């Protein structure tokens, strides 16, 4: 599957958030997507905030569901990694996911979400990550 010009792609972190030092990398991701004609929309919960602590599984699931419920989003790219993606599973609205036109992209720890989406909705996701060379 490839992203198409004019599509909106949500950028989320359902597992561990990105360190603040990666702002430049994510700026390059933003520029790369825009260069492809894709409109990136970033989650409010991308970066670690030492003062707030880690968002709960419910909060991270809420960010993901916000994009599944937005009819203008066609791709959901999860750029997180780590070991806590399973914490979002009880809070996902599988009926809303099934009705959505959005496709979830994830890798490694995020296969728990990919597997849950397929098991509950029969919707395909994209198992893989964005190539670092492109961003």
């Amino acid at each position: 599957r490839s992203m198409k010009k004019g599509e909106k792609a949500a950028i989320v972190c359902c597992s561990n958030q990105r360190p603040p030092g990666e702002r430049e990398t994510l700026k390059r991701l933003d520029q790369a997507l825009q260069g492809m004609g894709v409109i990136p929309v970033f989650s409010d919960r991308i970066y670690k905030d030492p003062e707030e602590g880690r968002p709960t599984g419910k909060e991270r699931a809420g960010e993901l569901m916000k994009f599944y419920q937005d009819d203008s989003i066609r791709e959901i790219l999860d750029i997180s990694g780590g070991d806590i993606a399973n914490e979002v599973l009880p809070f996902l609205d599988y009926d809303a996911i099934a009705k959505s036109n959005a496709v979830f992209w994830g890798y490694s720890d995020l296969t728990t979400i990919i597997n849950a989406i397929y098991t509950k909705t029969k919707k395909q996701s994209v198992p893989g990550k964005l190539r670092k060379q492109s961003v």
Side-chain angles (χ1 to χ4, degrees):
R1 175 169 170 96
S2 62
M3 291 179 263
K4 298 180 179 109
K5 286 185 178 183
E7 286 185 335
K8 284 187 180 179
I11 315 300
V12 299
C13 287
C14 290
S15 194
N16 298 91
Q17 294 170 292
R18 308 313 312 156
E22 288 189 10
R23 288 187 193 280
E24 280 303 311
T25 301
L26 293 183
K27 185 176 180 180
R28 289 192 305 275
L29 171 61
D30 181 49
Q31 292 168 343
L33 290 171
Q34 288 187 44
M36 296 168 41
V38 175
I39 304 160
V41 181
F42 286 83
S43 164
D44 294 329
R45 301 248 182 207
I46 295 289
Y47 298 104
K48 291 179 186 174
D49 184 339
E51 292 181 22
E52 287 186 21
R54 182 176 80 197
T56 66
K58 185 176 184 176
E59 291 168 330
R60 294 189 316 276
E63 283 294 298
L64 177 60
M65 291 311 307
K66 173 174 72 174
F67 294 121
Y68 269 117
Q69 294 165 339
D70 181 339
D71 291 337
S72 70
I73 301 292
R74 292 292 177 256
E75 313 292 337
I76 299 174
L77 312 175
D78 196 314
I79 60 168
S80 64
D83 54 6
I84 58 173
N86 61 328
E87 292 177 1
V88 305
L89 298 179
F91 306 104
L92 298 181
D93 179 345
Y94 295 102
D95 289 334
I97 292 170
K99 292 174 187 169
S100 172
N101 290 320
V103 175
F104 184 84
W105 297 56
Y107 176 74
S108 190
D109 180 41
L110 303 165
T111 56
T112 59
I113 296 171
I114 289 171
N115 290 338
I117 288 171
Y118 183 75
T119 299
K120 299 278 190 171
T121 70
K122 301 300 180 219
K123 282 186 72 166
Q124 297 289 324
S125 295
V126 179
K129 62 181 177 176
L130 298 174
R131 291 175 44 144
K132 203 167 197 147
Q133 296 88 339
S134 67
V135 294

